[in-house]
C-alpha cells in the first residue's frame, strides 16, 4: 500500500486541488496510510476535513495510519484538539 501524500498547504483555498485525489484514494484503499510530512500550512477548514475523514473511516471500521507527519501538522492538530481523533501523537 502506498501512502497518500498531502500537499504543503491543507487549507480551504487548496481543497479543490487535494480533495478529489484524496477521495480517489479513499475509494480505492481498504486500509489508508497518510503522509503528512510535507504539510507546512493547515487552517481550521483543512483540519476539519481531516477530522471528518478520520470519523468516516472509523464509522466504516477502516484502518488508517500516518507514515510521516510534519511538525506543523502535529502542532495544529494539538492546538485544535484533533490529535486523538486523527491518531497523531502530541506535538
Amino acid at each position: 500500500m502506498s501512502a497518500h501524500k498531502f500537499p504543503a498547504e491543507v487549507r480551504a483555498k487548496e481543497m479543490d486541488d487535494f480533495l478529489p485525489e484524496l477521495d480517489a484514494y479513499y475509494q480505492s484503499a481498504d486500509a489508508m496510510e497518510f503522509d503528512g510530512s510535507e504539510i507546512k500550512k493547515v487552517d481550521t477548514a483543512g483540519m476539519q476535513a481531516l477530522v471528518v475523514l478520520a470519523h468516516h473511516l472509523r464509522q466504516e471500521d477502516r484502518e488508517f495510519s500516518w507514515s510521516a507527519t510534519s511538525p506543523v501538522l502535529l502542532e495544529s492538530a494539538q492546538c485544535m484538539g484533533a490529535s486523538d481523533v486523527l491518531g497523531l501523537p502530541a506535538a
Side-chain angles (χ1 to χ4, degrees), residues 4 6 23 31 33-34 39 45 51-52 54 60 69:
H4 172 77
F6 283 94
D23 184 54
E33 184 176 349
F34 303 121
I39 296 176
V51 167
V52 167
E60 295 175 357
T69 55

Side-chain angles (χ1 to χ4, degrees), residues 17-86:
D17 295 332
F18 76 82
L19 283 180
E21 183 180 317
L22 182 59
D23 184 54
Y25 182 68
Y26 175 86
Q27 300 298 330
S28 68
D30 290 329
M32 299 181 74
E33 184 176 349
F34 303 121
D35 180 344
S37 62
E38 298 296 318
I39 296 176
K40 304 282 187 252
K41 295 181 181 181
V42 60
D43 66 4
T44 303
M47 190 61 64
Q48 287 173 331
L50 296 177
V51 167
V52 167
L53 173 61
H55 179 72
H56 282 294
L57 290 169
R58 285 197 175 96
Q59 280 187 322
E60 295 175 357
D61 290 324
R62 291 173 63 185
E63 295 180 22
F64 70 94
S65 62
W66 294 86
S67 63
T69 55
S70 71
V72 169
L73 174 61
L74 295 176
E75 185 178 323
S76 297
Q78 185 174 2
C79 287
M80 294 182 195
S83 297
D84 287 343
V85 172
L86 294 176

